[in-house]
Amino acid sequence: VDQTIRAFAALPPGTPARLTILGDGPCREELEALSRRLGQHERIVFTGAVADVTPYLREADIYVSTSMSEGMSNALLEAMSHAVIPVVSRVSGVADVVEEGVAGLVFPPGDESGLARRLEESLVMTREHRRATGEAAQAAVRRFSLDRVAECHLSLYRRLIESRP
């Protein structure tokens, strides 16, 4: 999250954006202090723990994940299901769901300047480009619905059973 805050602060002055950080934890005070030190305290909102992320996803244009290991997280899939454009680190599993430049934007894990570039790129998209990217993200995540995954598993099991001697 600190990487996200620093990358957000690196956006060009006057960029019309707000960063909303959902959740709570032992680092919250430190992250809020970082936000203040970088002069971003008026543009970054810390919500604390939330029971339902749906209202936030309905308002969001971009979902950001700087994870070093968690690629296909439930949070990513949920954001994409709401047609929110993912800007995520290229870790295991991301390539399976986020087609670079089509259904979202990726950057190398730990690359803060790469994240800042991707944030800026996502924020200057035209309304049409943003809508198309969000729709592509939404379509991509449908492959991972519970019904679809269950059907794929059942199909695999049927093939394995039928191929037994």
Side-chain angles (χ1 to χ4, degrees):
V1 177
D2 60 323
Q3 181 184 32
T4 302
I5 292 170
R6 287 190 299 272
F8 185 78
L11 291 171
T15 300
R18 183 181 74 226
L19 176 63
T20 303
I21 299 173
L22 304 180
D24 209 349
C27 298
R28 181 173 175 178
E29 285 183 28
E30 181 181 323
L31 295 169
E32 289 177 333
L34 174 62
S35 171
R36 285 190 300 275
R37 275 194 311 276
L38 296 173
Q40 300 298 308
H41 57 282
E42 292 181 11
R43 296 183 349 132
I44 299 178
V45 176
F46 292 84
T47 65
V50 296
D52 182 10
V53 299
T54 303
Y56 295 94
L57 291 174
R58 286 187 183 135
E59 294 295 318
D61 293 314
I62 301 160
Y63 165 82
V64 178
S65 174
T66 57
S67 177
M68 297 296 279
S69 60
E70 186 179 32
M72 196 187 309
S73 68
N74 287 337
L76 169 62
L77 297 176
E78 191 168 5
M80 292 175 71
S81 75
H82 283 83
V84 178
I85 300 167
V87 176
V88 294
S89 52
R90 188 182 301 113
V91 293
S92 178
V94 164
D96 294 328
V97 68
V98 179
E99 184 179 352
E100 166 60 34
V102 176
L105 301 170
V106 298
F107 59 93
D111 182 358
E112 203 167 289
S113 61
L115 169 57
R117 282 191 303 276
R118 291 309 202 172
L119 286 175
E120 185 174 359
E121 191 176 329
S122 67
L123 291 169
V124 298
M125 286 180 178
T126 64
R127 183 184 322 257
E128 294 78 21
H129 188 184
R130 186 184 315 277
R131 185 175 52 251
T133 305
E135 288 172 357
Q138 193 172 47
V141 80
R142 286 189 192 115
R143 297 184 323 223
F144 300 97
S145 72
L146 185 57
D147 290 341
R148 177 87 168 109
V149 171
E151 183 54 43
C152 287
H153 279 88
L154 287 173
S155 177
L156 172 63
Y157 296 151
R158 285 185 192 112
R159 286 195 313 273
L160 291 171
I161 291 170
E162 291 169 1
S163 69
R164 287 181 55 191

PDB file of all heavy atoms in Angstrom, residues 33-62:
ATOM      1  N   ALA A  33       0.384   8.666   7.814  1.00  0.00           N
ATOM      2  CA  ALA A  33       1.490   9.616   7.999  1.00  0.00           C
ATOM      3  C   ALA A  33       2.251   9.802   6.689  1.00  0.00           C
ATOM      4  O   ALA A  33       2.635  10.926   6.339  1.00  0.00           O
ATOM      5  CB  ALA A  33       2.430   9.130   9.100  1.00  0.00           C
ATOM      6  N   LEU A  34       2.464   8.725   5.947  1.00  0.00           N
ATOM      7  CA  LEU A  34       3.124   8.817   4.642  1.00  0.00           C
ATOM      8  C   LEU A  34       2.308   9.703   3.710  1.00  0.00           C
ATOM      9  O   LEU A  34       2.853  10.571   3.019  1.00  0.00           O
ATOM     10  CB  LEU A  34       3.308   7.425   4.036  1.00  0.00           C
ATOM     11  CG  LEU A  34       3.857   7.361   2.614  1.00  0.00           C
ATOM     12  CD1 LEU A  34       5.263   7.960   2.540  1.00  0.00           C
ATOM     13  CD2 LEU A  34       3.847   5.914   2.110  1.00  0.00           C
ATOM     14  N   SER A  35       1.009   9.511   3.712  1.00  0.00           N
ATOM     15  CA  SER A  35       0.111  10.325   2.891  1.00  0.00           C
ATOM     16  C   SER A  35       0.258  11.810   3.225  1.00  0.00           C
ATOM     17  O   SER A  35       0.330  12.658   2.328  1.00  0.00           O
ATOM     18  CB  SER A  35      -1.331   9.857   3.109  1.00  0.00           C
ATOM     19  OG  SER A  35      -2.243  10.719   2.502  1.00  0.00           O
ATOM     20  N   ARG A  36       0.340  12.126   4.510  1.00  0.00           N
ATOM     21  CA  ARG A  36       0.502  13.523   4.931  1.00  0.00           C
ATOM     22  C   ARG A  36       1.880  14.062   4.528  1.00  0.00           C
ATOM     23  O   ARG A  36       1.981  15.176   4.024  1.00  0.00           O
ATOM     24  CB  ARG A  36       0.303  13.644   6.446  1.00  0.00           C
ATOM     25  CG  ARG A  36      -1.157  13.535   6.881  1.00  0.00           C
ATOM     26  CD  ARG A  36      -1.352  13.890   8.349  1.00  0.00           C
ATOM     27  NE  ARG A  36      -0.598  13.015   9.244  1.00  0.00           N
ATOM     28  CZ  ARG A  36      -1.023  11.834   9.689  1.00  0.00           C
ATOM     29  NH1 ARG A  36      -2.209  11.380   9.324  1.00  0.00           N
ATOM     30  NH2 ARG A  36      -0.278  11.119  10.521  1.00  0.00           N
ATOM     31  N   ARG A  37       2.937  13.264   4.752  1.00  0.00           N
ATOM     32  CA  ARG A  37       4.295  13.704   4.393  1.00  0.00           C
ATOM     33  C   ARG A  37       4.413  14.019   2.904  1.00  0.00           C
ATOM     34  O   ARG A  37       5.132  14.934   2.506  1.00  0.00           O
ATOM     35  CB  ARG A  37       5.331  12.627   4.749  1.00  0.00           C
ATOM     36  CG  ARG A  37       5.808  12.665   6.166  1.00  0.00           C
ATOM     37  CD  ARG A  37       7.056  11.832   6.389  1.00  0.00           C
ATOM     38  NE  ARG A  37       7.021  10.479   5.861  1.00  0.00           N
ATOM     39  CZ  ARG A  37       6.495   9.420   6.461  1.00  0.00           C
ATOM     40  NH1 ARG A  37       5.922   9.551   7.646  1.00  0.00           N
ATOM     41  NH2 ARG A  37       6.534   8.228   5.903  1.00  0.00           N
ATOM     42  N   LEU A  38       3.700  13.254   2.082  1.00  0.00           N
ATOM     43  CA  LEU A  38       3.751  13.457   0.632  1.00  0.00           C
ATOM     44  C   LEU A  38       2.747  14.506   0.157  1.00  0.00           C
ATOM     45  O   LEU A  38       2.609  14.735  -1.046  1.00  0.00           O
ATOM     46  CB  LEU A  38       3.517  12.125  -0.091  1.00  0.00           C
ATOM     47  CG  LEU A  38       4.582  11.059   0.148  1.00  0.00           C
ATOM     48  CD1 LEU A  38       4.158   9.724  -0.487  1.00  0.00           C
ATOM     49  CD2 LEU A  38       5.933  11.507  -0.413  1.00  0.00           C
ATOM     50  N   GLY A  39       2.038  15.126   1.083  1.00  0.00           N
ATOM     51  CA  GLY A  39       1.071  16.166   0.719  1.00  0.00           C
ATOM     52  C   GLY A  39      -0.156  15.617   0.015  1.00  0.00           C
ATOM     53  O   GLY A  39      -0.800  16.334  -0.746  1.00  0.00           O
ATOM     54  N   GLN A  40      -0.495  14.373   0.283  1.00  0.00           N
ATOM     55  CA  GLN A  40      -1.617  13.731  -0.407  1.00  0.00           C
ATOM     56  C   GLN A  40      -2.828  13.492   0.489  1.00  0.00           C
ATOM     57  O   GLN A  40      -3.805  12.889   0.057  1.00  0.00           O
ATOM     58  CB  GLN A  40      -1.149  12.379  -0.992  1.00  0.00           C
ATOM     59  CG  GLN A  40      -0.026  12.494  -1.992  1.00  0.00           C
ATOM     60  CD  GLN A  40      -0.431  13.301  -3.198  1.00  0.00           C
ATOM     61  OE1 GLN A  40      -1.454  13.030  -3.833  1.00  0.00           O
ATOM     62  NE2 GLN A  40       0.358  14.314  -3.534  1.00  0.00           N
ATOM     63  N   HIS A  41      -2.768  13.958   1.726  1.00  0.00           N
ATOM     64  CA  HIS A  41      -3.816  13.652   2.699  1.00  0.00           C
ATOM     65  C   HIS A  41      -5.209  14.126   2.283  1.00  0.00           C
ATOM     66  O   HIS A  41      -6.201  13.560   2.720  1.00  0.00           O
ATOM     67  CB  HIS A  41      -3.450  14.199   4.085  1.00  0.00           C
ATOM     68  CG  HIS A  41      -3.192  15.664   4.104  1.00  0.00           C
ATOM     69  ND1 HIS A  41      -2.011  16.207   3.656  1.00  0.00           N
ATOM     70  CD2 HIS A  41      -3.975  16.690   4.492  1.00  0.00           C
ATOM     71  CE1 HIS A  41      -2.080  17.524   3.777  1.00  0.00           C
ATOM     72  NE2 HIS A  41      -3.250  17.847   4.278  1.00  0.00           N
ATOM     73  N   GLU A  42      -5.275  15.131   1.409  1.00  0.00           N
ATOM     74  CA  GLU A  42      -6.593  15.587   0.949  1.00  0.00           C
ATOM     75  C   GLU A  42      -7.094  14.765  -0.234  1.00  0.00           C
ATOM     76  O   GLU A  42      -8.276  14.815  -0.560  1.00  0.00           O
ATOM     77  CB  GLU A  42      -6.534  17.067   0.585  1.00  0.00           C
ATOM     78  CG  GLU A  42      -6.324  17.954   1.801  1.00  0.00           C
ATOM     79  CD  GLU A  42      -6.299  19.426   1.448  1.00  0.00           C
ATOM     80  OE1 GLU A  42      -6.640  19.779   0.301  1.00  0.00           O
ATOM     81  OE2 GLU A  42      -5.938  20.223   2.330  1.00  0.00           O
ATOM     82  N   ARG A  43      -6.192  14.023  -0.888  1.00  0.00           N
ATOM     83  CA  ARG A  43      -6.581  13.221  -2.061  1.00  0.00           C
ATOM     84  C   ARG A  43      -6.648  11.731  -1.762  1.00  0.00           C
ATOM     85  O   ARG A  43      -7.062  10.954  -2.607  1.00  0.00           O
ATOM     86  CB  ARG A  43      -5.591  13.445  -3.198  1.00  0.00           C
ATOM     87  CG  ARG A  43      -5.594  14.862  -3.700  1.00  0.00           C
ATOM     88  CD  ARG A  43      -4.676  15.146  -4.872  1.00  0.00           C
ATOM     89  NE  ARG A  43      -3.725  14.157  -5.259  1.00  0.00           N
ATOM     90  CZ  ARG A  43      -3.536  13.747  -6.521  1.00  0.00           C
ATOM     91  NH1 ARG A  43      -4.251  14.257  -7.492  1.00  0.00           N
ATOM     92  NH2 ARG A  43      -2.620  12.861  -6.806  1.00  0.00           N
ATOM     93  N   ILE A  44      -6.214  11.317  -0.567  1.00  0.00           N
ATOM     94  CA  ILE A  44      -6.234   9.899  -0.202  1.00  0.00           C
ATOM     95  C   ILE A  44      -7.177   9.709   0.974  1.00  0.00           C
ATOM     96  O   ILE A  44      -7.058  10.380   1.996  1.00  0.00           O
ATOM     97  CB  ILE A  44      -4.824   9.385   0.137  1.00  0.00           C
ATOM     98  CG1 ILE A  44      -3.902   9.525  -1.080  1.00  0.00           C
ATOM     99  CG2 ILE A  44      -4.889   7.932   0.608  1.00  0.00           C
ATOM    100  CD1 ILE A  44      -2.467   9.080  -0.840  1.00  0.00           C
ATOM    101  N   VAL A  45      -8.110   8.785   0.810  1.00  0.00           N
ATOM    102  CA  VAL A  45      -9.105   8.488   1.827  1.00  0.00           C
ATOM    103  C   VAL A  45      -8.835   7.090   2.377  1.00  0.00           C
ATOM    104  O   VAL A  45      -8.707   6.132   1.615  1.00  0.00           O
ATOM    105  CB  VAL A  45     -10.532   8.535   1.231  1.00  0.00           C
ATOM    106  CG1 VAL A  45     -11.573   8.136   2.249  1.00  0.00           C
ATOM    107  CG2 VAL A  45     -10.816   9.899   0.641  1.00  0.00           C
ATOM    108  N   PHE A  46      -8.741   6.975   3.674  1.00  0.00           N
ATOM    109  CA  PHE A  46      -8.608   5.688   4.351  1.00  0.00           C
ATOM    110  C   PHE A  46      -9.959   5.366   4.976  1.00  0.00           C
ATOM    111  O   PHE A  46     -10.400   6.063   5.890  1.00  0.00           O
ATOM    112  CB  PHE A  46      -7.531   5.757   5.441  1.00  0.00           C
ATOM    113  CG  PHE A  46      -6.135   5.919   4.907  1.00  0.00           C
ATOM    114  CD1 PHE A  46      -5.640   7.173   4.589  1.00  0.00           C
ATOM    115  CD2 PHE A  46      -5.327   4.816   4.727  1.00  0.00           C
ATOM    116  CE1 PHE A  46      -4.359   7.334   4.103  1.00  0.00           C
ATOM    117  CE2 PHE A  46      -4.032   4.966   4.241  1.00  0.00           C
ATOM    118  CZ  PHE A  46      -3.542   6.225   3.931  1.00  0.00           C
ATOM    119  N   THR A  47     -10.620   4.322   4.498  1.00  0.00           N
ATOM    120  CA  THR A  47     -11.967   4.004   4.980  1.00  0.00           C
ATOM    121  C   THR A  47     -11.975   3.189   6.255  1.00  0.00           C
ATOM    122  O   THR A  47     -12.969   3.175   6.962  1.00  0.00           O
ATOM    123  CB  THR A  47     -12.748   3.202   3.933  1.00  0.00           C
ATOM    124  OG1 THR A  47     -12.109   1.937   3.756  1.00  0.00           O
ATOM    125  CG2 THR A  47     -12.863   3.952   2.619  1.00  0.00           C
ATOM    126  N   GLY A  48     -10.903   2.474   6.514  1.00  0.00           N
ATOM    127  CA  GLY A  48     -10.943   1.472   7.568  1.00  0.00           C
ATOM    128  C   GLY A  48     -11.635   0.239   7.019  1.00  0.00           C
ATOM    129  O   GLY A  48     -11.880   0.119   5.812  1.00  0.00           O
ATOM    130  N   ALA A  49     -11.961  -0.679   7.907  1.00  0.00           N
ATOM    131  CA  ALA A  49     -12.613  -1.922   7.491  1.00  0.00           C
ATOM    132  C   ALA A  49     -14.000  -1.623   6.926  1.00  0.00           C
ATOM    133  O   ALA A  49     -14.714  -0.758   7.434  1.00  0.00           O
ATOM    134  CB  ALA A  49     -12.722  -2.874   8.676  1.00  0.00           C
ATOM    135  N   VAL A  50     -14.356  -2.324   5.863  1.00  0.00           N
ATOM    136  CA  VAL A  50     -15.689  -2.196   5.278  1.00  0.00           C
ATOM    137  C   VAL A  50     -16.290  -3.597   5.129  1.00  0.00           C
ATOM    138  O   VAL A  50     -15.589  -4.551   4.822  1.00  0.00           O
ATOM    139  CB  VAL A  50     -15.674  -1.480   3.901  1.00  0.00           C
ATOM    140  CG1 VAL A  50     -15.201  -0.053   4.031  1.00  0.00           C
ATOM    141  CG2 VAL A  50     -14.825  -2.217   2.900  1.00  0.00           C
ATOM    142  N   ALA A  51     -17.581  -3.695   5.385  1.00  0.00           N
ATOM    143  CA  ALA A  51     -18.266  -4.983   5.306  1.00  0.00           C
ATOM    144  C   ALA A  51     -18.603  -5.359   3.868  1.00  0.00           C
ATOM    145  O   ALA A  51     -18.628  -6.535   3.518  1.00  0.00           O
ATOM    146  CB  ALA A  51     -19.535  -4.953   6.153  1.00  0.00           C
ATOM    147  N   ASP A  52     -18.837  -4.352   3.031  1.00  0.00           N
ATOM    148  CA  ASP A  52     -19.249  -4.601   1.650  1.00  0.00           C
ATOM    149  C   ASP A  52     -18.510  -3.636   0.730  1.00  0.00           C
ATOM    150  O   ASP A  52     -18.692  -2.419   0.828  1.00  0.00           O
ATOM    151  CB  ASP A  52     -20.764  -4.415   1.531  1.00  0.00           C
ATOM    152  CG  ASP A  52     -21.300  -4.703   0.137  1.00  0.00           C
ATOM    153  OD1 ASP A  52     -20.551  -5.234  -0.720  1.00  0.00           O
ATOM    154  OD2 ASP A  52     -22.486  -4.395  -0.111  1.00  0.00           O
ATOM    155  N   VAL A  53     -17.710  -4.173  -0.164  1.00  0.00           N
ATOM    156  CA  VAL A  53     -16.929  -3.324  -1.073  1.00  0.00           C
ATOM    157  C   VAL A  53     -17.730  -2.884  -2.294  1.00  0.00           C
ATOM    158  O   VAL A  53     -17.280  -2.011  -3.045  1.00  0.00           O
ATOM    159  CB  VAL A  53     -15.628  -4.022  -1.537  1.00  0.00           C
ATOM    160  CG1 VAL A  53     -14.734  -4.330  -0.352  1.00  0.00           C
ATOM    161  CG2 VAL A  53     -15.918  -5.274  -2.351  1.00  0.00           C
ATOM    162  N   THR A  54     -18.889  -3.455  -2.495  1.00  0.00           N
ATOM    163  CA  THR A  54     -19.679  -3.176  -3.705  1.00  0.00           C
ATOM    164  C   THR A  54     -19.905  -1.688  -3.959  1.00  0.00           C
ATOM    165  O   THR A  54     -19.677  -1.226  -5.080  1.00  0.00           O
ATOM    166  CB  THR A  54     -21.012  -3.944  -3.670  1.00  0.00           C
ATOM    167  OG1 THR A  54     -20.733  -5.341  -3.525  1.00  0.00           O
ATOM    168  CG2 THR A  54     -21.818  -3.714  -4.934  1.00  0.00           C
ATOM    169  N   PRO A  55     -20.329  -0.896  -2.975  1.00  0.00           N
ATOM    170  CA  PRO A  55     -20.531   0.534  -3.258  1.00  0.00           C
ATOM    171  C   PRO A  55     -19.244   1.228  -3.719  1.00  0.00           C
ATOM    172  O   PRO A  55     -19.296   2.120  -4.571  1.00  0.00           O
ATOM    173  CB  PRO A  55     -21.009   1.109  -1.920  1.00  0.00           C
ATOM    174  CG  PRO A  55     -21.504  -0.049  -1.138  1.00  0.00           C
ATOM    175  CD  PRO A  55     -20.724  -1.239  -1.602  1.00  0.00           C
ATOM    176  N   TYR A  56     -18.127   0.820  -3.187  1.00  0.00           N
ATOM    177  CA  TYR A  56     -16.848   1.416  -3.592  1.00  0.00           C
ATOM    178  C   TYR A  56     -16.482   1.004  -5.019  1.00  0.00           C
ATOM    179  O   TYR A  56     -15.978   1.820  -5.797  1.00  0.00           O
ATOM    180  CB  TYR A  56     -15.739   1.018  -2.617  1.00  0.00           C
ATOM    181  CG  TYR A  56     -15.964   1.561  -1.236  1.00  0.00           C
ATOM    182  CD1 TYR A  56     -16.600   0.792  -0.263  1.00  0.00           C
ATOM    183  CD2 TYR A  56     -15.572   2.856  -0.904  1.00  0.00           C
ATOM    184  CE1 TYR A  56     -16.824   1.291   1.004  1.00  0.00           C
ATOM    185  CE2 TYR A  56     -15.789   3.368   0.364  1.00  0.00           C
ATOM    186  CZ  TYR A  56     -16.427   2.576   1.314  1.00  0.00           C
ATOM    187  OH  TYR A  56     -16.646   3.094   2.555  1.00  0.00           O
ATOM    188  N   LEU A  57     -16.751  -0.243  -5.369  1.00  0.00           N
ATOM    189  CA  LEU A  57     -16.446  -0.707  -6.724  1.00  0.00           C
ATOM    190  C   LEU A  57     -17.344  -0.030  -7.750  1.00  0.00           C
ATOM    191  O   LEU A  57     -16.913   0.252  -8.868  1.00  0.00           O
ATOM    192  CB  LEU A  57     -16.574  -2.230  -6.817  1.00  0.00           C
ATOM    193  CG  LEU A  57     -15.518  -3.010  -6.054  1.00  0.00           C
ATOM    194  CD1 LEU A  57     -15.826  -4.512  -6.087  1.00  0.00           C
ATOM    195  CD2 LEU A  57     -14.127  -2.737  -6.611  1.00  0.00           C
ATOM    196  N   ARG A  58     -18.567   0.250  -7.375  1.00  0.00           N
ATOM    197  CA  ARG A  58     -19.484   0.943  -8.296  1.00  0.00           C
ATOM    198  C   ARG A  58     -19.000   2.354  -8.609  1.00  0.00           C
ATOM    199  O   ARG A  58     -19.275   2.889  -9.676  1.00  0.00           O
ATOM    200  CB  ARG A  58     -20.890   0.992  -7.703  1.00  0.00           C
ATOM    201  CG  ARG A  58     -21.595  -0.332  -7.754  1.00  0.00           C
ATOM    202  CD  ARG A  58     -23.041  -0.211  -7.313  1.00  0.00           C
ATOM    203  NE  ARG A  58     -23.669  -1.517  -7.318  1.00  0.00           N
ATOM    204  CZ  ARG A  58     -24.435  -1.979  -6.354  1.00  0.00           C
ATOM    205  NH1 ARG A  58     -24.707  -1.222  -5.300  1.00  0.00           N
ATOM    206  NH2 ARG A  58     -24.955  -3.171  -6.428  1.00  0.00           N
ATOM    207  N   GLU A  59     -18.291   2.965  -7.684  1.00  0.00           N
ATOM    208  CA  GLU A  59     -17.778   4.328  -7.863  1.00  0.00           C
ATOM    209  C   GLU A  59     -16.373   4.368  -8.461  1.00  0.00           C
ATOM    210  O   GLU A  59     -15.940   5.404  -8.939  1.00  0.00           O
ATOM    211  CB  GLU A  59     -17.766   5.052  -6.512  1.00  0.00           C
ATOM    212  CG  GLU A  59     -19.143   5.302  -5.932  1.00  0.00           C
ATOM    213  CD  GLU A  59     -19.960   6.255  -6.790  1.00  0.00           C
ATOM    214  OE1 GLU A  59     -19.404   7.257  -7.273  1.00  0.00           O
ATOM    215  OE2 GLU A  59     -21.163   5.981  -6.982  1.00  0.00           O
ATOM    216  N   ALA A  60     -15.670   3.245  -8.421  1.00  0.00           N
ATOM    217  CA  ALA A  60     -14.254   3.219  -8.821  1.00  0.00           C
ATOM    218  C   ALA A  60     -14.066   3.167 -10.333  1.00  0.00           C
ATOM    219  O   ALA A  60     -14.872   2.581 -11.054  1.00  0.00           O
ATOM    220  CB  ALA A  60     -13.566   2.014  -8.190  1.00  0.00           C
ATOM    221  N   ASP A  61     -12.995   3.791 -10.781  1.00  0.00           N
ATOM    222  CA  ASP A  61     -12.573   3.683 -12.173  1.00  0.00           C
ATOM    223  C   ASP A  61     -11.437   2.673 -12.311  1.00  0.00           C
ATOM    224  O   ASP A  61     -11.284   2.046 -13.345  1.00  0.00           O
ATOM    225  CB  ASP A  61     -12.086   5.038 -12.697  1.00  0.00           C
ATOM    226  CG  ASP A  61     -13.202   6.055 -12.798  1.00  0.00           C
ATOM    227  OD1 ASP A  61     -14.280   5.705 -13.311  1.00  0.00           O
ATOM    228  OD2 ASP A  61     -13.002   7.200 -12.360  1.00  0.00           O
ATOM    229  N   ILE A  62     -10.628   2.559 -11.264  1.00  0.00           N
ATOM    230  CA  ILE A  62      -9.415   1.751 -11.319  1.00  0.00           C
ATOM    231  C   ILE A  62      -9.283   0.950 -10.024  1.00  0.00           C
ATOM    232  O   ILE A  62      -9.557   1.461  -8.943  1.00  0.00           O
ATOM    233  CB  ILE A  62      -8.170   2.656 -11.483  1.00  0.00           C
ATOM    234  CG1 ILE A  62      -8.286   3.480 -12.758  1.00  0.00           C
ATOM    235  CG2 ILE A  62      -6.880   1.842 -11.491  1.00  0.00           C
ATOM    236  CD1 ILE A  62      -7.387   4.693 -12.762  1.00  0.00           C
TER     237      ILE A  62
END
